[in-house]
Amino acid sequence: GAVVSQHPSRVICKSGTSVKIECRSLDFQATTMFWYRQFPKKSLMLMATSNEGSKATYEQGVEKDKFLINHASLTLSTLTVTSAHPEDSSFYICSAYRLIEGETQYFGPGTRLLVL
Amino acid sequence: QKEVEQDPGPLSVPEGAIVSLNCTYSNSAFQYFMWYRQYSRKGPELLMYTYSSGNKEDGRFTAQVDKSSKYISLFIRDSQPSDSATYLCAMSISGNTGKLIFGQGTTLQVKP
């Protein structure tokens, strides 16, 4: 399967600071990447669709000014949580879309964010 | 009613058992069906991918899709303790930029 990496794997920050999470597609070019949030024992909640060279498309209820997404290249998308607060603490997972035989997403290992 | 329904479990079976995981869905436009396995504190891992109706087998795993009943299944033969994880079904519509609709996930525990 395809390989997607995320960095950092864990981050602890103070309330009010900004945190950047990187998502890289290591062995294929991904024109589309997705960002998810997952709460304990819950399924994945899609936050936004990131398209290379254009603005991200956010799901209803997701604040685009709080969760800044940049997809500057075909192998890198970043999610910046701005002015983080404790309620932003969560598990953030990215995925890269690949059209092989059909339409599939390959997921990164996730980033655990804890805001104090 | 959710677009994709999946029993969250937990499902507990003895080692060696055959496991059956299922999802139902309401949108007949879904054409691509996937099963992901997610270990605790990790990202989901693609297990099986199926297009339209039919069966697909990969080692101990078999995926079935019945579009007429809007029902998909994942069977795990000779289950192992290492299969203990959460299994997520997911599906998508062709040409929708790969956006996936997930089930809630079923937590499986295989006891040695």
Side-chain angles (χ1 to χ4, degrees):
Chain A
V3 180
V4 177
S5 70
Q6 270 184 254
H7 178 80
S9 58
R10 303 185 57 162
V11 57
I12 301 173
C13 68
K14 292 182 179 180
S15 186
T17 61
S18 293
V19 175
K20 180 185 282 189
I21 303 170
E22 291 186 349
C23 177
R24 292 183 185 274
S25 171
L26 298 183
D27 55 357
F28 70 97
Q29 294 182 329
T31 54
T32 302
M33 291 184 172
F34 299 88
W35 286 96
Y36 294 85
R37 186 173 178 175
Q38 189 175 34
F39 293 102
K41 300 188 187 298
K42 297 292 184 184
S43 190
L44 290 87
M45 183 188 80
L46 179 64
M47 298 174 66
T49 302
S50 169
N51 296 297
E52 188 266 338
S54 65
K55 291 184 178 180
T57 302
Y58 290 82
E59 295 298 301
Q60 192 173 10
V62 177
E63 297 177 62
K64 60 181 180 181
D65 294 330
K66 180 163 190 62
F67 298 100
L68 300 179
I69 292 172
N70 183 271
H71 194 155
S73 77
L74 290 171
T75 59
L76 174 65
S77 177
T78 60
L79 168 69
T80 302
V81 183
T82 62
S83 186
H85 291 283
E87 58 265 29
D88 298 324
S89 299
S90 193
F91 191 48
Y92 292 89
I93 312 174
C94 71
S95 72
Y97 166 61
R98 188 176 193 185
L99 184 62
I100 53 162
E101 298 181 338
E103 303 179 356
T104 322
Q105 289 183 30
Y106 291 90
F107 286 84
T111 297
R112 191 160 299 280
L113 170 64
L114 177 61
V115 184
L116 303 176
Chain B
Q1 182 188 7
K2 293 181 181 178
E3 274 194 288
V4 180
E5 297 276 1
Q6 184 178 6
D7 186 342
L11 179 63
S12 182
V13 301
E15 183 175 355
I18 296 175
V19 176
S20 172
L21 305 168
N22 311 294
C23 288
T24 58
Y25 61 95
S26 57
N27 190 343
S28 58
F30 288 134
Q31 290 184 291
Y32 300 99
F33 303 91
M34 284 138 277
W35 285 95
Y36 288 88
R37 177 175 62 194
Q38 186 177 25
Y39 292 112
S40 181
R41 299 174 182 265
K42 301 290 184 184
E45 170 194 10
L46 180 64
L47 269 182
M48 300 288 285
Y49 161 85
T50 310
Y51 171 69
S52 195
S53 286
N55 294 355
K56 189 172 185 179
E57 187 173 322
D58 184 2
R60 296 185 295 112
F61 299 91
T62 300
Q64 288 186 350
V65 174
D66 182 347
K67 290 193 71 178
S68 62
S69 302
K70 298 190 180 68
Y71 188 88
I72 69 171
S73 301
L74 177 70
F75 296 96
I76 307 174
R77 291 182 297 280
D78 187 24
S79 57
Q80 303 295 310
S82 58
D83 295 327
S84 299
T86 295
Y87 291 80
L88 296 149
C89 66
M91 42 202 82
S92 68
I93 299 169
S94 177
N96 198 26
T97 65
K99 186 174 178 178
L100 292 178
I101 307 300
F102 284 91
Q104 300 93 306
T106 299
T107 299
L108 170 68
Q109 183 180 23
V110 181
K111 295 183 176 180

